[in-house]
Amino acid sequence: MTRVFLILIAGLMTLVAACAPAPDGTTNGGKVYRVRNADKVQLRMLDSVNALRQAAGKPAVSLNPQLTAAAATHSRDMSVQNRPWHFGSDGSSPLDRVSRAGFTGAMIGETISETYESELQTLTAWMENQATRSVIMDPKAANMGFSWFQESNGKIWWTLVMGS
């Protein structure tokens, strides 16, 4: 009986250790996704978002430089604050940031993430959540801003902003 109990405890400890963060902070066995070909990341995301929108009968969106600037600013700011949330360290809201960046359309929404995963894995997670999915799939959206900030340890702060 004691032997069975010890085997069960050892198995449980192995499971817990597998879920614990690796020394570099990741939870995927120490593998860190590094953003490479940064000039192609935005286009991959745009193509993926538009493929999802097309499949759902929604109109395509275009990359917007002002929304992308607002997304880049917020990604870096989330890293500085070390927390994923929609408010800037200066108290700014997503509306404030897109206005400051010079976007004159209506902002539809902002999706954010703190991960060690790629942009497509992040998009998949956003699509599995009803709140973020509704921002990405909003039929009024015509413009998209998308950016990220990657820390030296590999953590990536993603921001996607949709506007009309």
Side-chain angles (χ1 to χ4, degrees), residues 1-20:
M1 179 73 165
T2 304
R3 176 180 263 173
V4 172
F5 180 73
L6 290 174
I7 291 171
L8 287 172
I9 293 295
L12 181 61
M13 290 176 69
T14 302
L15 263 174
V16 169
C19 296

Side-chain angles (χ1 to χ4, degrees), residues 72-86:
T73 298
H74 193 55
S75 293
R76 181 174 287 276
D77 192 47
M78 285 189 296
S79 171
V80 169
Q81 295 182 73
N82 196 32
R83 62 179 168 182
W85 75 325
H86 294 283

Side-chain angles (χ1 to χ4, degrees), residues 111-155:
T111 62
I112 58 173
S113 184
E114 163 199 21
T115 70
Y116 290 91
E117 299 175 332
S118 73
E119 67 280 0
L120 299 180
Q121 290 169 309
T122 300
L123 178 59
T124 299
W126 284 338
M127 292 301 289
E128 290 173 354
N129 177 289
Q130 182 56 41
T132 52
R133 178 186 180 92
S134 67
V135 169
I136 294 166
M137 301 303 284
D138 191 300
K140 296 181 299 281
N143 297 284
M144 181 181 97
F146 175 70
S147 195
W148 66 93
F149 177 77
Q150 186 163 31
E151 296 178 356
S152 60
N153 67 1
K155 184 188 289 187

Side-chain angles (χ1 to χ4, degrees), residues 3-75:
R3 176 180 263 173
V4 172
F5 180 73
L6 290 174
I7 291 171
L8 287 172
I9 293 295
L12 181 61
M13 290 176 69
T14 302
L15 263 174
V16 169
C19 296
D24 61 7
T26 67
T27 55
N28 61 356
K31 296 178 186 171
V32 174
Y33 173 78
R34 294 284 176 192
V35 175
R36 302 208 192 314
N37 300 317
D39 56 325
K40 295 181 179 156
V41 171
Q42 285 179 324
L43 295 177
R44 273 196 306 268
M45 181 62 90
L46 177 66
D47 289 346
S48 298
V49 165
N50 279 332
L52 291 166
R53 290 176 62 86
Q54 180 182 17
K58 311 289 186 213
V61 294
S62 300
L63 273 178
N64 178 280
Q66 290 84 19
L67 291 179
T68 296
T73 298
H74 193 55
S75 293

Side-chain angles (χ1 to χ4, degrees), residues 64-77 93-103 107 110 145-147 159-161:
N64 178 280
Q66 290 84 19
L67 291 179
T68 296
T73 298
H74 193 55
S75 293
R76 181 174 287 276
D77 192 47
S93 71
L95 289 170
D96 296 330
R97 287 189 296 277
V98 299
S99 177
R100 285 182 197 162
F103 184 69
M107 187 189 132
E110 176 184 76
F146 175 70
S147 195
T159 306
L160 182 145
V161 183

